Amino acid sequence: MATETTDAKQIFSARKVREAANDASIDDARKIELNELAKQVAEQFSSNVVAPGFIAGLARITEFLALSGISLLIYMLYVGPQAYQGGLYLAASVLGAFLTVAGIQAIDGYQMDTFRSPVSQISKVIAGFGFAMLLLAALGFFAKMSDEYSRVWFGSWLVAGGAFLVFFRLWLTYYAHRLMSDGRLERRAVIVGGGEPAAELIRTLEAQHSSDIRVCGIFDDRSGDRSPPVVVGYPKLGTVAELVEFGRMARIDMLIVTLPLSAEKRVLQLLKRLWVLPVDIRLSAHTNKLRFRPRSYSYEGSVPFLDIFEKPIANWDAVSKRIFDLFFASLALVLLSPVMLVTAVAIKLESKGPVLFRQKRYGFNNQVVDVLKFRSMYHEMSDPDAKKVVTKGDPRVTRVGRFIRKTSIDELPQLFNVLQGGLSLVGPRPHAVNAHTANRLWDEVVDGYFARHKVKPGVTGWAQINGWRGEVDDEEKIKQRVNCDLYYIENWSLMLDLQILFLTPLKLLNTENAY
């Protein structure tokens, strides 16, 4: 038996997966066809889900803002007209709201099983709020500041805040039940590997009454006794090669691999196929004899897992990135609207045809999106399918087109794609569906190419500010682009987005490879 001397991620790291054995084949995602049963199950789960973590975060933010707002509103209506002490009341309001959220958190008031029960919710929020108000009063007393505050204000806040929490949590219970009845408040999981290990895992998960994991099916390359067609009522939906397409169609949140850790080579082969999906990948550890450091494990109830890959930019990270996109895209449209107007007029005056050009490109999770650009070619020579790469001196490109392509002004309409939600401001650049080099599609050139679609594509990205912009006329260039994209995904932060955004105009001065 191994001792606790290592970390699971040292064994199954992202780099090791990418550099796994050469005999681990990568299937072309375009060519996989699901069987009828897998299609039916995927369509059943194709609607969007709401992550339980998102609901918990929403409850925390709403309660903090609402309690602070109620306190300040009472201050403005009752205390403010008599004496100006805004700073003291603002500090008390924020501190009281913070202590309330912290108190509710401490007694598990933001857990999924709490959201399901109105009695449990109300008792916990009232206990948390009452404790916070008692602590606030005690702090005021010992700091000899209680005389600075109105008793009417404090009593009114206590009553109004408590009433808000009761009614908000009743609504939250109703909302959670409605989402659960629609099958939207859950984490959808697929088990990779069948047989008795899968059966034992499913039984253990189903015994966890508060678990929000919903098993959608099983995928396994094996057959016969080692992997029967049905495991404790769950069907085997196909092979691991088919799982990639199924995961995209069914909007899967988690993949659970039940193969033993001792089969390291086989696990690496599986991960090399599966890591392109924007999902959490876990190794089931409940039957393994290997032991790792405690921080290697996560738990669903009492079931231990080894966390191998995390879904990038998920939950509140996704919310903060979306707010970032909306703010800076709106600001850019206002500031750049004169440039866009002049460009549109110049395009219209030089050649006939529409001002804007639409091209189908790969978006998040391999979904195809229509990306907007200013038209840079003669309309009758346009190439929406990107069958021929634009080269230096290309006769299809207009005079205006050459200028706006060199300066990247042709990309500015993609700000509307950002507002619509199809693109992000920063991310891997969206490539045309048929993008190729030397008659080879880019997903055939680069191992794990589709992993760059684990996040929403961007108007600009890490590859662009590192010099990999413009024509891709050899395989090395697309490989370097993809390496930059994967670095961005693995190291994302809002500060990195801000850095890329502000460096982009400077990097556009280099027009060497832009035709």
Side-chain angles (χ1 to χ4, degrees):
M1 181 180 295
T3 59
E4 293 185 355
T5 59
T6 188
D7 191 318
K9 289 193 177 182
Q10 293 175 356
I11 296 178
F12 300 108
S13 66
R15 176 172 292 182
K16 191 165 185 178
V17 169
R18 292 199 294 268
E19 297 173 353
N22 293 329
D23 59 350
S25 62
I26 299 298
D27 296 280
D28 185 351
R30 308 163 191 267
K31 300 175 183 177
I32 299 299
E33 284 291 335
L34 296 179
N35 60 69
E36 287 303 317
L37 176 60
K39 284 182 181 179
Q40 292 175 12
V41 175
E43 290 170 358
Q44 175 186 346
F45 292 106
S46 61
S47 61
N48 285 322
V49 295
V50 178
F54 180 84
I55 297 294
L58 178 65
R60 292 185 186 95
I61 290 176
T62 301
E63 289 170 354
F64 175 81
L65 293 178
L67 291 175
S68 303
I70 289 170
S71 171
L72 293 173
L73 180 61
I74 296 171
Y75 161 76
M76 288 188 292
L77 294 176
Y78 181 77
V79 182
Q82 302 175 32
Y84 180 75
Q85 295 173 305
L88 290 175
Y89 281 88
L90 176 62
S93 301
V94 172
L95 180 59
F98 173 78
L99 290 173
T100 300
V101 173
I104 296 172
Q105 175 72 39
I107 55 178
D108 295 331
Y110 295 108
Q111 297 296 321
M112 200 60 238
D113 54 342
T114 301
F115 294 150
R116 296 187 179 101
S117 169
V119 174
S120 178
Q121 286 210 79
I122 292 173
S123 62
K124 288 182 178 181
V125 296
I126 292 301
F129 184 52
F131 171 78
M133 293 296 100
L134 184 63
L135 185 58
L136 197 64
L139 288 172
F141 174 78
F142 286 109
K144 297 182 179 181
M145 296 181 62
S146 56
D147 290 342
E148 302 291 334
Y149 293 94
S150 164
R151 289 170 175 78
V152 174
W153 161 80
F154 187 78
S156 300
W157 187 20
L158 191 63
V159 173
F164 164 78
L165 288 172
V166 169
F167 285 109
F168 174 69
R169 285 305 182 109
L170 287 173
W171 173 84
L172 196 60
T173 302
Y174 162 76
Y175 182 58
H177 277 289
R178 192 179 70 180
L179 290 175
M180 284 187 289
S181 64
D182 294 339
R184 296 182 60 203
L185 189 58
E186 59 193 8
R187 283 180 295 166
R188 297 169 178 174
V190 164
I191 294 179
V192 185
E196 187 55 34
E200 186 175 342
L201 173 64
I202 292 171
R203 293 190 194 102
T204 308
L205 286 174
E206 290 183 339
Q208 311 291 327
H209 298 296
S210 61
S211 176
D212 57 353
I213 294 178
R214 181 171 182 178
V215 177
C216 300
I218 299 168
F219 285 79
D220 197 347
D221 289 338
R222 301 171 300 174
S223 58
D225 294 337
R226 291 195 302 168
S227 182
V230 178
V231 177
V232 290
Y234 289 88
K236 187 169 73 172
L237 299 177
T239 64
V240 174
E242 294 171 302
L243 173 53
V244 174
E245 181 62 25
F246 178 88
R248 292 187 174 120
M249 288 182 63
R251 300 178 185 269
I252 294 300
D253 300 299
M254 182 187 299
L255 301 179
I256 304 175
V257 180
T258 61
L259 297 180
L261 292 176
S262 56
E264 179 183 346
K265 183 177 180 181
R266 176 58 179 152
V267 173
L268 282 170
Q269 289 174 337
L270 289 175
L271 294 178
K272 194 179 180 188
R273 285 180 171 178
L274 301 177
W275 77 295
V276 300
L277 289 172
V279 298
D280 296 327
I281 299 182
R282 306 282 184 258
L283 293 182
S284 173
H286 71 296
T287 60
N288 284 298
K289 296 181 180 180
L290 290 172
R291 291 293 180 264
F292 297 92
R293 294 190 181 102
R295 64 186 176 86
S296 296
Y297 295 98
S298 64
Y299 288 85
E300 295 296 334
S302 61
V303 185
F305 293 96
L306 294 172
D307 301 344
I308 305 303
F309 289 110
E310 300 286 344
K311 182 178 181 179
I313 316 181
N315 297 327
W316 286 98
D317 284 343
V319 174
S320 61
K321 185 170 175 61
R322 182 61 180 152
I323 294 172
F324 178 95
D325 286 344
L326 291 173
F327 175 78
F328 283 104
S330 300
L331 180 63
L333 279 172
V334 172
L335 296 178
L336 296 172
S337 56
V339 176
M340 296 177 71
L341 181 60
V342 170
T343 302
V345 172
I347 291 171
K348 201 67 179 175
L349 290 176
E350 184 184 19
S351 62
K352 63 180 181 180
V355 169
L356 295 179
F357 174 74
R358 295 176 184 269
Q359 188 174 60
K360 294 191 180 298
R361 299 191 179 189
Y362 278 122
F364 170 70
N365 205 15
N366 267 37
Q367 296 173 344
V368 177
V369 295
D370 286 327
V371 172
L372 294 173
K373 297 183 67 174
F374 279 124
R375 179 172 59 83
S376 58
M377 295 182 179
Y378 293 102
H379 179 56
E380 62 275 13
M381 299 181 184
S382 62
D383 184 17
D385 296 326
K387 294 179 180 178
K388 183 180 178 182
V389 177
V390 176
T391 57
K392 188 173 183 178
D394 198 313
R396 298 174 298 167
V397 180
T398 66
R399 288 176 299 172
V400 171
R402 289 193 183 92
F403 176 76
I404 64 175
R405 290 177 73 93
K406 274 189 171 292
T407 55
S408 290
I409 292 175
D410 63 323
E411 310 283 359
L412 292 182
Q414 289 167 31
L415 293 170
F416 292 108
N417 287 116
V418 174
L419 295 181
Q420 292 170 355
L423 298 184
S424 179
L425 267 179
V426 181
R429 284 290 297 149
H431 293 160
V433 173
N434 293 309
H436 60 278
T437 298
N439 295 321
R440 292 185 68 196
L441 296 171
W442 285 348
D443 57 293
E444 296 172 348
V445 173
V446 184
D447 224 15
Y449 171 83
F450 288 113
R452 67 190 302 276
H453 300 153
K454 292 198 289 187
V455 300
K456 197 180 292 185
V459 178
T460 185
W462 186 247
Q464 283 62 47
I465 69 165
N466 280 279
W468 302 107
R469 167 180 172 247
E471 182 184 6
V472 180
D473 52 4
D474 63 61
E475 295 184 358
E476 183 61 25
K477 288 183 179 179
I478 186 57
K479 289 178 180 178
Q480 292 298 332
R481 276 195 185 187
V482 172
N483 285 336
C484 286
D485 294 338
L486 298 182
Y487 173 87
Y488 169 80
I489 292 171
E490 294 169 5
N491 296 276
W492 174 85
S493 68
L494 282 180
M495 288 305 298
L496 181 59
D497 275 5
L498 201 61
Q499 175 189 349
I500 293 170
L501 195 62
F502 282 97
L503 284 177
T504 295
L506 300 177
K507 297 298 181 179
L508 290 179
L509 297 176
N510 180 9
T511 62
E512 181 181 353
N513 295 317
Y515 308 135

